[in-house]
Amino acid sequence: MVHQKKKLVQEVSGWLRIHDDGSVDRTWTGPPEVKFMAEPVPPHEEFKEGVAIRDVTIDEKSGLKVRIYLPQLEPDYTDNNHNKLPIIVHFHGGGFCISQADWYMYYHIYSRLARSASAIVVSVYLRLAPEHRLPAAMDDGFSAVVWLRSLGRGHGSYEPWLNDYGDFNRVFLVGDSSGGNLVHQVAARAGHVDLSPVRLAGGIPIHPGFVRSVRSKSEMEQPESPFLTLDMVDSFLKLALPEGCTKDHPFTRPGGHAAPPLDGLNLPPFLLCVAESDLIRDTQMEYCEAMKEASKDLELLINPGVGHSFYLNKIAVDMDPHTAAQTTALIEGITEFIKKH
């Protein structure tokens, strides 16, 4: 029997390859010095640099998992509601097609946010396209919120880090890039459900993947980066959106004509984080304006002189003073938003 070598059908910016037999290879093939950022960090339940992490399966049937970051508590911590920690539900980016919650690029920034905001971070291992097209990732994100509700109500499962230290009345949704799309979609879905004792206190889309069919000015003028190229925007969304849909779909254009009217959504306060040099800055700002026109509670945080997901690039954070300063400003802005809600 002769085994034919499978043929490469599609490659996307060094991040993803699809073969003629339908198999998907997500091995990083770009510059090797960048590879460490896309490698998994093993969980460690002992505190390292002020944070402990563990992976938990929250749905045995589907295998859905989350990664929990617990910041080290102060010595004078006492177990009462006044000292409970806010909970951040995190949705990773990757254009719905790549990356995992345990990648180093998320570990380095979300362990830092857990310390800065004195918050427990629950990062969801989202299903990926093209094997699992949208709304799969959005269903996973919402399932994580429903799991928190079950913990808060004492139904079945018990997760000590969350049940003992987490404040279910202060749950924030945070997402990077395409994960920012999930912040909007999950918050919109949650607005029509009784989640008590869980209360969504805020949504924080960071450089969300909001786009449209017609190229924006920023897409045509801003420089590309390893974290976002036009090829990634086009190819990943073609693989991730429901078949036959365009980028004007509500998943990628929530303020567009095809989306449910924003003024009819029950949304918590939002902090929209935008990078001045982001390829898709213009469509993020269109979302900002649409939210304001719908009289939604939205704050805007703009980081000047940096591009898409700049804070995830550990090399730039360590080597470039401006990127380091803007990463600190972003963390501080998110921390302030969490503390006042």
Side-chain angles (χ1 to χ4, degrees), residues 169-224:
N169 192 51
R170 294 181 65 216
V171 174
F172 296 83
L173 305 180
V174 177
D176 320 284
S177 192
S178 57
N181 300 48
L182 268 63
V183 169
H184 177 91
Q185 297 296 334
V186 171
R189 193 186 302 189
H192 301 288
V193 177
D194 176 15
L195 291 174
S196 60
V198 166
R199 179 182 71 95
L200 290 189
I204 308 172
I206 310 174
H207 314 165
F210 298 150
V211 292
R212 47 179 161 84
S213 294
V214 178
R215 286 260 193 255
S216 66
K217 186 179 179 185
S218 61
E219 282 180 294
M220 294 186 286
E221 294 181 355
Q222 292 297 331
E224 296 183 328

Side-chain angles (χ1 to χ4, degrees), residues 12-33:
V12 185
S13 298
W15 287 104
L16 177 143
R17 284 152 302 289
I18 300 176
H19 297 96
D20 58 355
D21 64 353
S23 61
V24 180
D25 179 8
R26 295 182 172 87
T27 306
W28 171 246
T29 59
E33 63 270 18

Side-chain angles (χ1 to χ4, degrees), residues 137-155:
M138 292 161 184
D139 292 342
D140 291 344
F142 186 70
S143 292
V145 175
V146 172
W147 175 68
L148 289 181
R149 178 181 68 180
S150 72
L151 293 180
R153 291 181 178 180
H155 291 172

Side-chain angles (χ1 to χ4, degrees), residues 36-217:
F36 76 96
M37 289 190 283
E39 291 180 337
V41 176
H44 51 83
E45 297 199 17
E46 72 281 7
F47 288 100
K48 292 182 180 178
E49 296 182 347
V51 176
I53 57 174
R54 64 188 298 181
D55 289 339
V56 176
T57 299
I58 67 172
D59 187 327
E60 294 291 347
K61 187 175 180 181
S62 69
L64 181 62
K65 295 193 308 178
V66 297
R67 166 157 290 198
I68 306 175
Y69 296 73
L70 178 70
Q72 195 158 13
L73 303 169
E74 297 297 326
D76 61 351
Y77 178 89
T78 55
D79 186 12
N80 62 60
N81 285 331
H82 295 295
N83 287 317
K84 294 275 188 176
L85 307 179
I87 299 169
I88 296 171
V89 179
H90 168 243
F91 308 130
H92 65 73
F96 310 109
C97 292
I98 61 169
S99 87
Q100 292 286 346
D102 61 2
W103 276 15
Y104 180 79
M105 68 172 67
Y106 302 116
Y107 173 80
H108 94 84
I109 204 70
Y110 283 94
S111 56
R112 181 174 172 182
L113 180 60
R115 292 192 302 267
S116 173
S118 296
I120 301 171
V121 176
V122 179
S123 186
V124 186
Y125 285 86
L126 303 167
R127 284 175 291 172
L128 302 176
E131 300 95 326
H132 304 282
R133 286 181 177 264
L134 296 174
M138 292 161 184
D139 292 342
D140 291 344
F142 186 70
S143 292
V145 175
V146 172
W147 175 68
L148 289 181
R149 178 181 68 180
S150 72
L151 293 180
R153 291 181 178 180
H155 291 172
S157 58
Y158 173 79
E159 168 45 54
W161 286 5
L162 288 161
N163 285 99
D164 293 349
Y165 306 118
D167 185 353
F168 293 103
N169 192 51
R170 294 181 65 216
V171 174
F172 296 83
L173 305 180
V174 177
D176 320 284
S177 192
S178 57
N181 300 48
L182 268 63
V183 169
H184 177 91
Q185 297 296 334
V186 171
R189 193 186 302 189
H192 301 288
V193 177
D194 176 15
L195 291 174
S196 60
V198 166
R199 179 182 71 95
L200 290 189
I204 308 172
I206 310 174
H207 314 165
F210 298 150
V211 292
R212 47 179 161 84
S213 294
V214 178
R215 286 260 193 255
S216 66
K217 186 179 179 185

Side-chain angles (χ1 to χ4, degrees), residues 242-254:
E243 292 199 51
C245 293
T246 72
K247 288 186 282 189
D248 291 324
H249 191 283
F251 292 162
T252 42
R253 197 181 182 191

